[in-house]
């Protein structure tokens, strides 16, 4: 089994640099994917309430603990507070719901999923009669104080943010008793996030890279959209190392020091994505890949423009 390097967080905990993503994984296949990943050697699983599959993740984890393959403390599990639960009085119960679904007594990393709050209620995506998303006026800095209370209550070990820009992180830091341990953002060669990476590093906040393979299964992909894993420049580098495009894209993030969470439910691909610790990309190839940056965001959320806390609307990074 490959040894997975870990990244030391500002909270004092170690977070494995490679994890299994579960966003968009087909229902009914997630529990098996988690079991396969654990057998292959993954010790980091990335989840979220809004993915609506945390109960399956919990089944997979529980099965492997019962089999004696792992102990709970061997695993690093991330979950995320959804946008409809930003109101301070809703934060703890939202976390407890994820804990119940995951069949865990604590979560290793709990993130504010987006800086944007949505109208509170039963709907994950509340909308008016015209289909326009209904916003909440809750400020994420007030949400953050409740995130800190989850740590104090022992429900979570570390807390962080996701999809926050520099200015938004600065606002959190201005009120924080506990600093965010990670900022989970879209990151790949078309969106290298160099400036945000440098800023986060200066604050001892680690970047977790989501959609590292270019999110090929995103539901809103259109014909003619660029496909990162089919980029001839990536394929040329992959051929040179005798690796797949996905392995190159994952290795690229690892060498940058970013935590990376590729998603798959296919056992062979889960194994292939894990097989990235026995080689290194040359400095020249790392720089070449850096050069593909075109601010190419696969998850831009144009339908949420107008939200006062939209992270991609007014800020450079």
């Amino acid at each position: 089994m490959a040894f997975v390097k870990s990244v030391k967080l500002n909270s004092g905990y170690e977070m494995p640099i490679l994890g299994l993503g579960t966003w968009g994984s087909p229902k009914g296949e997630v529990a098996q994917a988690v079991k396969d990943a654990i057998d292959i050697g993954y010790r980091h699983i990335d989840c979220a309430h809004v993915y609506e599959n945390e109960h399956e993740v919990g089944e997979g984890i529980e099965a492997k603990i019962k089999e004696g393959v792992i102990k709970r403390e061997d695993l690093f599990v991330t979950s995320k507070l959804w946008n409809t639960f930003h109101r301070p009085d809703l934060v703890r119960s939202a976390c407890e719901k994820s804990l119940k679904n995951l069949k865990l007594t604590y979560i290793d990393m709990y993130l504010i999923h987006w800086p944007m709050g949505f109208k509170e209620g039963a709907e994950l995506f509340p909308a008016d009669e015209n289909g326009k998303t209904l916003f909440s006026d809750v400020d994420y800095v007030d949400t953050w104080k409740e995130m800190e209370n989850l740590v104090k209550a022992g429900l979570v070990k570390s807390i962080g943010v996701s999809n926050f820009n520099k200015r938004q992180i600065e606002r959190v830091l201005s009120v924080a008793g506990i600093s965010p341990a990670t900022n989970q953002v879209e990151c790949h060669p078309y969106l290298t996030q160099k400036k945000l990476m440098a800023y986060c590093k200066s604050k001892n906040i680690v970047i977790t890279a989501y959609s590292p393979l270019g999110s090929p299964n995103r539901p809103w992909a259109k014909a003619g959209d660029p496909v990162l894993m089919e980029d001839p420049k990536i394929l040329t580098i992959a051929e040179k190392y005798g690796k797949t495009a996905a392995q190159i894209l994952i290795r690229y993030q690892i060498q940058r020091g970013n935590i990376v969470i590729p998603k798959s439910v296919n056992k062979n691909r889960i194994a292939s994505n894990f097989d990235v610790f026995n080689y290194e990309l040359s400095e020249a190839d790392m720089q070449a890949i850096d050069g593909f940056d075109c601010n190419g965001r696969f998850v831009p959320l144009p339908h949420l423009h107008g939200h006062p806390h939209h992270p991609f609307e007014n800020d450079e990074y």
Side-chain angles (χ1 to χ4, degrees):
M1 190 188 293
F3 171 72
V4 181
K5 187 177 132 189
S6 283
V7 176
K8 185 77 176 268
L9 302 172
N10 62 25
S11 57
Y13 294 99
E14 302 263 342
M15 187 171 183
I17 201 162
L18 177 62
L20 177 75
T22 59
W23 175 63
S25 292
K27 285 189 170 65
E29 297 180 37
V30 181
Q32 189 58 50
V34 168
K35 290 191 268 191
D36 289 341
I38 289 170
D39 285 340
I40 286 159
Y42 287 76
R43 294 295 177 263
H44 168 190
I45 314 286
D46 182 85
C47 325
H49 174 78
V50 77
Y51 303 164
E52 297 186 272
N53 57 19
E54 287 192 324
H55 59 292
E56 287 194 54
V57 174
E59 285 167 32
I61 291 171
E62 183 182 56
K64 288 296 152 186
I65 291 174
K66 278 185 176 160
E67 282 175 34
V69 177
I70 49 160
K71 298 194 286 288
R72 166 62 184 102
E73 55 270 25
D74 298 332
L75 266 194
F76 193 102
V77 179
T78 296
S79 185
K80 309 178 191 83
L81 178 80
W82 183 237
N83 305 354
T84 51
F85 304 113
H86 279 204
R87 208 173 68 203
D89 62 303
L90 300 175
V91 171
R92 180 165 178 149
S93 58
C95 177
E96 287 171 341
K97 180 85 195 295
S98 281
L99 281 167
K100 187 178 173 208
N101 283 334
L102 292 164
K103 305 181 198 298
L104 301 176
T105 56
Y106 67 88
I107 292 169
D108 296 276
M109 175 73 76
Y110 199 52
L111 310 177
I112 300 181
H113 203 150
W114 290 90
M116 304 171 286
F118 291 171
K119 183 179 185 295
E120 298 76 18
E123 296 291 320
L124 290 173
F125 297 94
D128 65 16
E129 60 278 8
N130 302 313
K132 183 170 174 11
T133 303
L134 295 168
F135 300 153
S136 161
D137 59 2
V138 177
D139 192 324
Y140 54 80
V141 295
D142 298 321
T143 312
W144 185 257
K145 291 169 193 160
E146 285 304 313
M147 297 286 282
E148 294 184 348
N149 286 335
L150 299 177
V151 178
K152 292 167 190 161
L155 298 178
V156 307
K157 303 277 192 193
S158 304
I159 48 176
V161 294
S162 182
N163 302 296
F164 276 52
N165 64 38
K166 174 184 181 236
R167 179 178 52 83
Q168 291 168 332
I169 294 170
E170 284 179 337
R171 288 193 68 228
V172 169
L173 290 172
S174 73
V175 303
I178 301 172
S179 175
T182 191
N183 184 19
Q184 184 178 127
V185 293
E186 180 182 346
C187 189
H188 45 72
Y190 294 166
L191 185 72
T192 58
Q193 299 280 20
K194 269 196 152 165
K195 288 182 175 175
L196 188 60
M197 272 179 66
Y199 169 73
C200 286
K201 190 173 185 182
S202 76
K203 301 296 179 187
N204 199 18
I205 297 168
V206 177
I207 291 285
T208 300
Y210 77 72
S211 297
L213 311 180
S215 199
N217 299 328
R218 64 193 184 282
W220 54 88
K222 298 188 300 293
D225 280 356
V227 181
L228 179 60
M229 285 200 288
E230 294 173 10
D231 187 309
K233 297 172 293 193
I234 295 284
L235 293 173
T236 300
I237 293 171
E239 198 178 333
K240 173 177 162 184
Y241 289 89
K243 297 291 177 185
T244 65
Q247 287 170 327
I248 296 298
L249 295 168
I250 294 163
R251 182 71 210 179
Y252 168 68
Q253 297 296 351
I254 289 170
Q255 283 183 222
R256 303 173 90 205
N258 290 341
I259 292 157
V260 59
I261 46 171
K263 180 218 55 186
S264 182
V265 293
N266 176 295
K267 186 174 184 177
N268 291 334
R269 278 202 291 275
I270 292 170
S272 174
N273 290 347
F274 192 75
D275 184 21
V276 290
F277 296 101
N278 54 1
Y279 66 101
E280 222 172 85
L281 299 173
S282 72
E283 189 53 45
D285 286 327
M286 288 293 292
Q287 285 178 1
I289 298 170
D290 277 343
F292 304 166
D293 185 72
C294 56
N295 201 30
R297 207 178 277 283
F298 289 112
V299 189
L301 303 194
H303 63 292
L304 297 177
H305 283 318
H307 195 295
H309 300 308
H310 197 299
F312 315 139
E313 202 165 0
N314 302 311
D315 296 76
E316 185 200 349
Y317 67 94

